Amino acid sequence: MGKFTYDSSISTGFEDRALAHLQAVILAKVRRGEGFCLGWKDDVSLGGGRTSVYLNARSTISFAYDTARTPALNPLWLNALTRAANSPQGLSLLPEPRASQRGESGGREPAGILASIEA
């Protein structure tokens, strides 16, 4: 379980693979100077509520992983997370699309999706 930390005072855990995808989307938006909200459900031990933070280029954020292995990024998941980050509701963790959800493209997304995340 990795950890996302905001402003050294707010943190939450995400599975390492999910955190890597969130990191790619978050850093792409921050590099472009785009502010947005990131939200998640709090653990029951914290009351089971929700937390939302506003991220921008001045935010202090960190990503800590349990493993040193960097997972391969799923372009479909990056695309879905980016659409969420660009929505009025903001970014939240969505389920990873399965291969059967890739439609007629045979699992391949247009080359521009990863490029737009990495830009």
Side-chain angles (χ1 to χ4, degrees):
M1 177 76 64
K3 185 184 285 189
F4 168 81
T5 303
Y6 173 82
D7 195 28
S8 71
S9 60
I10 299 173
S11 65
T12 191
F14 291 102
E15 187 270 324
D16 278 3
R17 180 168 174 72
L19 186 59
H21 284 77
L22 290 172
Q23 178 179 343
V25 172
I26 290 168
L27 294 182
K29 289 192 65 69
V30 169
R31 274 195 310 269
R32 289 191 298 262
E34 300 172 2
F36 64 102
C37 284
L38 169 65
W40 60 86
K41 287 178 69 174
D42 295 326
D43 189 71
V44 175
S45 67
L46 299 172
R50 294 177 1 99
T51 297
S52 186
V53 294
Y54 182 75
L55 301 171
N56 62 38
R58 293 186 178 169
S59 299
T60 303
I61 56 177
S62 67
F63 305 87
Y65 295 87
D66 276 345
T67 63
R69 187 182 64 79
T70 302
L73 297 179
N74 176 343
L76 293 174
W77 202 6
L78 292 172
N79 189 27
L81 292 169
T82 298
R83 282 193 315 270
N86 292 334
S87 75
Q89 293 78 26
L91 177 60
S92 61
L93 185 60
L94 304 171
E96 181 171 8
R98 296 186 322 258
S100 64
Q101 295 172 307
R102 295 182 185 191
E104 297 176 11
S105 66
R108 304 209 64 190
E109 281 295 308
I113 291 176
L114 267 180
S116 68
I117 295 294
E118 296 169 349

